[in-house]
mmCIF file of all heavy atoms in Angstrom:
data_model
loop_
_atom_site.group_PDB
_atom_site.id
_atom_site.type_symbol
_atom_site.label_atom_id
_atom_site.label_comp_id
_atom_site.label_asym_id
_atom_site.label_seq_id
_atom_site.Cartn_x
_atom_site.Cartn_y
_atom_site.Cartn_z
ATOM 1 N N ASN N 959 -23.256 62.949 -4.019
ATOM 2 C CA ASN N 959 -23.489 62.191 -2.803
ATOM 3 C C ASN N 959 -23.459 60.696 -3.098
ATOM 4 O O ASN N 959 -23.591 60.274 -4.244
ATOM 5 C CB ASN N 959 -24.835 62.569 -2.183
ATOM 6 C CG ASN N 959 -24.925 64.019 -1.778
ATOM 7 O OD1 ASN N 959 -23.938 64.621 -1.342
ATOM 8 N ND2 ASN N 959 -26.117 64.598 -1.905
ATOM 9 N N SER N 960 -23.306 59.906 -2.047
ATOM 10 C CA SER N 960 -23.290 58.445 -2.163
ATOM 11 C C SER N 960 -22.326 57.982 -3.247
ATOM 12 O O SER N 960 -22.661 57.148 -4.097
ATOM 13 C CB SER N 960 -24.705 57.922 -2.442
ATOM 14 O OG SER N 960 -25.598 58.299 -1.410
ATOM 15 N N LEU N 961 -21.129 58.520 -3.212
ATOM 16 C CA LEU N 961 -20.146 58.233 -4.250
ATOM 17 C C LEU N 961 -19.727 56.765 -4.236
ATOM 18 O O LEU N 961 -19.648 56.140 -3.178
ATOM 19 C CB LEU N 961 -18.933 59.132 -4.095
ATOM 20 C CG LEU N 961 -19.149 60.567 -4.580
ATOM 21 C CD1 LEU N 961 -18.088 61.500 -4.023
ATOM 22 C CD2 LEU N 961 -19.140 60.616 -6.105
ATOM 23 N N ARG N 962 -19.456 56.257 -5.426
ATOM 24 C CA ARG N 962 -19.050 54.879 -5.634
ATOM 25 C C ARG N 962 -17.708 54.837 -6.344
ATOM 26 O O ARG N 962 -17.348 55.782 -7.040
ATOM 27 C CB ARG N 962 -20.101 54.148 -6.483
ATOM 28 C CG ARG N 962 -21.511 54.208 -5.930
ATOM 29 C CD ARG N 962 -22.528 53.817 -6.984
ATOM 30 N NE ARG N 962 -23.895 53.882 -6.478
ATOM 31 C CZ ARG N 962 -24.983 53.781 -7.235
ATOM 32 N NH1 ARG N 962 -24.866 53.602 -8.541
ATOM 33 N NH2 ARG N 962 -26.184 53.851 -6.678
ATOM 34 N N PRO N 963 -16.944 53.751 -6.200
ATOM 35 C CA PRO N 963 -15.662 53.655 -6.906
ATOM 36 C C PRO N 963 -15.793 53.854 -8.414
ATOM 37 O O PRO N 963 -14.879 54.409 -9.032
ATOM 38 C CB PRO N 963 -15.187 52.236 -6.574
ATOM 39 C CG PRO N 963 -15.785 51.967 -5.231
ATOM 40 C CD PRO N 963 -17.142 52.624 -5.265
ATOM 41 N N GLU N 964 -16.894 53.440 -9.008
ATOM 42 C CA GLU N 964 -17.078 53.613 -10.443
ATOM 43 C C GLU N 964 -17.291 55.070 -10.852
ATOM 44 O O GLU N 964 -17.311 55.378 -12.047
ATOM 45 C CB GLU N 964 -18.241 52.754 -10.962
ATOM 46 C CG GLU N 964 -19.540 52.942 -10.199
ATOM 47 C CD GLU N 964 -19.754 51.885 -9.127
ATOM 48 O OE1 GLU N 964 -18.782 51.529 -8.435
ATOM 49 O OE2 GLU N 964 -20.901 51.402 -8.985
ATOM 50 N N ASP N 965 -17.451 55.975 -9.873
ATOM 51 C CA ASP N 965 -17.518 57.399 -10.167
ATOM 52 C C ASP N 965 -16.131 58.013 -10.360
ATOM 53 O O ASP N 965 -16.024 59.183 -10.741
ATOM 54 C CB ASP N 965 -18.244 58.156 -9.050
ATOM 55 C CG ASP N 965 -19.703 57.767 -8.938
ATOM 56 O OD1 ASP N 965 -20.363 57.603 -9.981
ATOM 57 O OD2 ASP N 965 -20.196 57.637 -7.792
ATOM 58 N N THR N 966 -15.084 57.257 -10.082
ATOM 59 C CA THR N 966 -13.722 57.752 -10.228
ATOM 60 C C THR N 966 -13.449 58.147 -11.676
ATOM 61 O O THR N 966 -13.613 57.340 -12.594
ATOM 62 C CB THR N 966 -12.708 56.699 -9.770
ATOM 63 O OG1 THR N 966 -12.879 56.455 -8.369
ATOM 64 C CG2 THR N 966 -11.287 57.159 -10.020
ATOM 65 N N ALA N 967 -13.027 59.389 -11.880
ATOM 66 C CA ALA N 967 -12.783 59.909 -13.218
ATOM 67 C C ALA N 967 -12.255 61.332 -13.108
ATOM 68 O O ALA N 967 -12.254 61.928 -12.031
ATOM 69 C CB ALA N 967 -14.065 59.902 -14.051
ATOM 70 N N VAL N 968 -11.807 61.869 -14.241
ATOM 71 C CA VAL N 968 -11.553 63.295 -14.352
ATOM 72 C C VAL N 968 -12.855 63.952 -14.782
ATOM 73 O O VAL N 968 -13.462 63.548 -15.779
ATOM 74 C CB VAL N 968 -10.432 63.610 -15.350
ATOM 75 C CG1 VAL N 968 -10.245 65.122 -15.493
ATOM 76 C CG2 VAL N 968 -9.129 62.963 -14.906
ATOM 77 N N TYR N 969 -13.285 64.949 -14.032
ATOM 78 C CA TYR N 969 -14.537 65.642 -14.309
ATOM 79 C C TYR N 969 -14.246 66.972 -14.988
ATOM 80 O O TYR N 969 -13.411 67.754 -14.524
ATOM 81 C CB TYR N 969 -15.323 65.863 -13.020
ATOM 82 C CG TYR N 969 -15.998 64.612 -12.518
ATOM 83 C CD1 TYR N 969 -15.245 63.555 -12.011
ATOM 84 C CD2 TYR N 969 -17.384 64.473 -12.559
ATOM 85 C CE1 TYR N 969 -15.853 62.394 -11.569
ATOM 86 C CE2 TYR N 969 -18.001 63.319 -12.113
ATOM 87 C CZ TYR N 969 -17.232 62.280 -11.618
ATOM 88 O OH TYR N 969 -17.849 61.135 -11.176
ATOM 89 N N TYR N 970 -14.953 67.239 -16.094
ATOM 90 C CA TYR N 970 -14.742 68.430 -16.901
ATOM 91 C C TYR N 970 -15.990 69.299 -16.934
ATOM 92 O O TYR N 970 -17.092 68.794 -17.151
ATOM 93 C CB TYR N 970 -14.375 68.062 -18.339
ATOM 94 C CG TYR N 970 -13.077 67.310 -18.494
ATOM 95 C CD1 TYR N 970 -13.056 65.918 -18.453
ATOM 96 C CD2 TYR N 970 -11.887 67.991 -18.682
ATOM 97 C CE1 TYR N 970 -11.868 65.220 -18.600
ATOM 98 C CE2 TYR N 970 -10.697 67.298 -18.829
ATOM 99 C CZ TYR N 970 -10.698 65.920 -18.791
ATOM 100 O OH TYR N 970 -9.509 65.233 -18.945
ATOM 101 N N CYS N 971 -15.796 70.583 -16.751
ATOM 102 C CA CYS N 971 -16.868 71.553 -16.910
ATOM 103 C C CYS N 971 -16.967 71.962 -18.375
ATOM 104 O O CYS N 971 -15.951 72.095 -19.060
ATOM 105 C CB CYS N 971 -16.589 72.774 -16.029
ATOM 106 S SG CYS N 971 -17.853 74.062 -16.097
ATOM 107 N N ASN N 972 -18.189 72.163 -18.853
ATOM 108 C CA ASN N 972 -18.425 72.527 -20.246
ATOM 109 C C ASN N 972 -19.421 73.681 -20.329
ATOM 110 O O ASN N 972 -20.359 73.755 -19.536
ATOM 111 C CB ASN N 972 -18.968 71.329 -21.025
ATOM 112 C CG ASN N 972 -19.452 71.710 -22.413
ATOM 113 O OD1 ASN N 972 -20.647 71.914 -22.631
ATOM 114 N ND2 ASN N 972 -18.527 71.804 -23.355
ATOM 115 N N ALA N 973 -19.204 74.570 -21.286
ATOM 116 C CA ALA N 973 -20.149 75.644 -21.560
ATOM 117 C C ALA N 973 -20.360 75.778 -23.057
ATOM 118 O O ALA N 973 -19.399 75.760 -23.837
ATOM 119 C CB ALA N 973 -19.659 76.968 -20.986
ATOM 120 N N LEU N 974 -21.617 75.889 -23.450
ATOM 121 C CA LEU N 974 -21.989 76.193 -24.821
ATOM 122 C C LEU N 974 -22.495 77.632 -24.829
ATOM 123 O O LEU N 974 -23.389 77.971 -24.054
ATOM 124 C CB LEU N 974 -23.065 75.234 -25.318
ATOM 125 C CG LEU N 974 -23.551 75.414 -26.752
ATOM 126 C CD1 LEU N 974 -22.450 75.034 -27.735
ATOM 127 C CD2 LEU N 974 -24.791 74.563 -27.004
ATOM 128 N N TYR N 975 -21.944 78.466 -25.694
ATOM 129 C CA TYR N 975 -22.306 79.874 -25.665
ATOM 130 C C TYR N 975 -22.299 80.469 -27.058
ATOM 131 O O TYR N 975 -21.718 79.913 -27.991
ATOM 132 C CB TYR N 975 -21.368 80.663 -24.740
ATOM 133 C CG TYR N 975 -19.924 80.698 -25.178
ATOM 134 C CD1 TYR N 975 -19.422 81.783 -25.891
ATOM 135 C CD2 TYR N 975 -19.053 79.661 -24.866
ATOM 136 C CE1 TYR N 975 -18.095 81.830 -26.285
ATOM 137 C CE2 TYR N 975 -17.726 79.698 -25.261
ATOM 138 C CZ TYR N 975 -17.252 80.785 -25.974
ATOM 139 O OH TYR N 975 -15.936 80.824 -26.362
ATOM 140 N N THR N 976 -22.958 81.623 -27.188
ATOM 141 C CA THR N 976 -22.988 82.369 -28.439
ATOM 142 C C THR N 976 -22.301 83.710 -28.246
ATOM 143 O O THR N 976 -22.337 84.302 -27.170
ATOM 144 C CB THR N 976 -24.423 82.592 -28.941
ATOM 145 O OG1 THR N 976 -25.171 83.315 -27.959
ATOM 146 C CG2 THR N 976 -25.105 81.259 -29.216
ATOM 147 N N ASP N 977 -21.671 84.188 -29.313
ATOM 148 C CA ASP N 977 -20.970 85.463 -29.306
ATOM 149 C C ASP N 977 -21.049 86.041 -30.713
ATOM 150 O O ASP N 977 -20.526 85.447 -31.658
ATOM 151 C CB ASP N 977 -19.530 85.286 -28.863
ATOM 152 C CG ASP N 977 -18.794 86.601 -28.692
ATOM 153 O OD1 ASP N 977 -19.444 87.668 -28.721
ATOM 154 O OD2 ASP N 977 -17.562 86.574 -28.514
ATOM 155 N N GLU N 978 -21.737 87.178 -30.850
ATOM 156 C CA GLU N 978 -21.893 87.863 -32.134
ATOM 157 C C GLU N 978 -22.443 86.924 -33.211
ATOM 158 O O GLU N 978 -21.970 86.906 -34.349
ATOM 159 C CB GLU N 978 -20.568 88.486 -32.578
ATOM 160 C CG GLU N 978 -20.067 89.560 -31.634
ATOM 161 C CD GLU N 978 -18.796 90.221 -32.131
ATOM 162 O OE1 GLU N 978 -18.165 89.700 -33.068
ATOM 163 O OE2 GLU N 978 -18.436 91.276 -31.580
ATOM 164 N N GLY N 979 -23.435 86.128 -32.836
ATOM 165 C CA GLY N 979 -24.117 85.259 -33.777
ATOM 166 C C GLY N 979 -23.472 83.911 -34.003
ATOM 167 O O GLY N 979 -24.033 83.082 -34.733
ATOM 168 N N ASN N 980 -22.322 83.653 -33.416
ATOM 169 C CA ASN N 980 -21.627 82.383 -33.565
ATOM 170 C C ASN N 980 -21.727 81.551 -32.294
ATOM 171 O O ASN N 980 -21.837 82.097 -31.195
ATOM 172 C CB ASN N 980 -20.157 82.613 -33.915
ATOM 173 C CG ASN N 980 -19.987 83.327 -35.241
ATOM 174 O OD1 ASN N 980 -20.630 82.982 -36.228
ATOM 175 N ND2 ASN N 980 -19.120 84.332 -35.272
ATOM 176 N N THR N 981 -21.678 80.225 -32.457
ATOM 177 C CA THR N 981 -21.778 79.301 -31.345
ATOM 178 C C THR N 981 -20.415 78.689 -31.053
ATOM 179 O O THR N 981 -19.699 78.271 -31.969
ATOM 180 C CB THR N 981 -22.794 78.191 -31.640
ATOM 181 O OG1 THR N 981 -24.069 78.783 -31.920
ATOM 182 C CG2 THR N 981 -22.942 77.256 -30.449
ATOM 183 N N TYR N 982 -20.073 78.610 -29.768
ATOM 184 C CA TYR N 982 -18.784 78.092 -29.344
ATOM 185 C C TYR N 982 -18.967 77.082 -28.221
ATOM 186 O O TYR N 982 -19.972 77.083 -27.509
ATOM 187 C CB TYR N 982 -17.868 79.220 -28.867
ATOM 188 C CG TYR N 982 -17.613 80.281 -29.904
ATOM 189 C CD1 TYR N 982 -18.453 81.386 -30.009
ATOM 190 C CD2 TYR N 982 -16.539 80.187 -30.782
ATOM 191 C CE1 TYR N 982 -18.237 82.366 -30.955
ATOM 192 C CE2 TYR N 982 -16.310 81.161 -31.734
ATOM 193 C CZ TYR N 982 -17.161 82.248 -31.816
ATOM 194 O OH TYR N 982 -16.937 83.221 -32.765
ATOM 195 N N ASP N 983 -17.957 76.226 -28.051
ATOM 196 C CA ASP N 983 -17.945 75.195 -27.027
ATOM 197 C C ASP N 983 -16.641 75.328 -26.240
ATOM 198 O O ASP N 983 -15.558 75.306 -26.833
ATOM 199 C CB ASP N 983 -18.038 73.816 -27.679
ATOM 200 C CG ASP N 983 -18.496 72.733 -26.733
ATOM 201 O OD1 ASP N 983 -19.229 73.038 -25.774
ATOM 202 O OD2 ASP N 983 -18.133 71.560 -26.962
ATOM 203 N N SER N 984 -16.739 75.484 -24.923
ATOM 204 C CA SER N 984 -15.571 75.691 -24.081
ATOM 205 C C SER N 984 -15.478 74.598 -23.017
ATOM 206 O O SER N 984 -16.498 74.140 -22.500
ATOM 207 C CB SER N 984 -15.634 77.070 -23.415
ATOM 208 O OG SER N 984 -14.485 77.323 -22.634
ATOM 209 N N TRP N 985 -14.246 74.192 -22.695
ATOM 210 C CA TRP N 985 -13.985 73.148 -21.699
ATOM 211 C C TRP N 985 -12.995 73.625 -20.649
ATOM 212 O O TRP N 985 -12.049 74.359 -20.954
ATOM 213 C CB TRP N 985 -13.411 71.891 -22.354
ATOM 214 C CG TRP N 985 -14.352 71.194 -23.281
ATOM 215 C CD1 TRP N 985 -14.507 71.397 -24.613
ATOM 216 C CD2 TRP N 985 -15.267 70.155 -22.928
ATOM 217 N NE1 TRP N 985 -15.465 70.561 -25.117
ATOM 218 C CE2 TRP N 985 -15.949 69.782 -24.117
ATOM 219 C CE3 TRP N 985 -15.574 69.502 -21.735
ATOM 220 C CZ2 TRP N 985 -16.931 68.784 -24.127
ATOM 221 C CZ3 TRP N 985 -16.548 68.515 -21.749
ATOM 222 C CH2 TRP N 985 -17.210 68.160 -22.939
ATOM 223 N N GLY N 986 -13.215 73.194 -19.407
ATOM 224 C CA GLY N 986 -12.230 73.408 -18.367
ATOM 225 C C GLY N 986 -11.104 72.398 -18.474
ATOM 226 O O GLY N 986 -11.112 71.494 -19.314
#
């Protein structure tokens, strides 16, 4: 809300997760 011109950017989703004891980082 109340967006400003300085908010202009590419927005990326991120997830940190574990799988079988290992940690991974995923990006959209």
Side-chain angles (χ1 to χ4, degrees):
N959 298 325
S960 301
L961 283 163
R962 305 164 181 170
E964 52 263 41
D965 295 319
T966 296
V968 177
Y969 284 69
Y970 297 90
C971 181
N972 170 262
L974 181 69
Y975 64 97
T976 59
D977 186 11
E978 297 183 347
N980 298 314
T981 302
Y982 302 90
D983 200 28
S984 182
W985 294 90

